[in-house]
Amino acid sequence: LCNRYLAETYPEQLKKIIELRLETCKQLEEFGWKVIESDPLKITIEVPRDVSSQEMTDGLRDKGIECDEIDE
């Protein structure tokens, strides 16, 4: 069952997620964010110098977005 799911539907779903990620990165860049290429399933952005990592994390969390990792 799991192998069939992975073989039949997962590749198309994964492709859609990657396309959505690329479009989201493009939109972020249009809004002035610096997007750093990384994992094809993650979005990595550079936090502006005048914003602390905690402020960034809190702001994203308020919008329903959880950070996977924050570098100071």
Side-chain angles (χ1 to χ4, degrees):
L1 180 65
C2 192
N3 285 340
R4 185 174 65 206
Y5 170 77
L6 291 174
E8 292 175 1
T9 62
Y10 186 72
E12 187 60 32
Q13 291 176 354
L14 184 60
K15 180 181 175 191
K16 288 178 183 178
I17 292 294
I18 291 172
E19 289 172 357
L20 178 61
R21 177 205 170 269
L22 291 172
E23 181 61 30
T24 301
C25 287
K26 180 181 172 187
Q27 291 175 355
L28 286 167
E29 288 175 336
E30 289 172 0
F31 283 114
W33 291 98
K34 181 174 179 175
V35 178
I36 301 166
E37 281 303 315
S38 63
D39 185 305
L41 298 178
K42 293 182 180 180
I43 297 174
T44 304
I45 57 174
E46 185 175 301
V47 177
R49 293 186 187 272
D50 61 337
V51 177
S52 74
S53 296
Q54 189 61 52
E55 288 172 320
M56 184 72 168
T57 301
D58 293 343
L60 290 171
R61 187 170 289 132
D62 288 345
K63 303 291 185 202
I65 301 169
E66 282 298 322
C67 294
D68 181 47
E69 187 176 320
I70 300 265
D71 293 333
E72 291 291 331

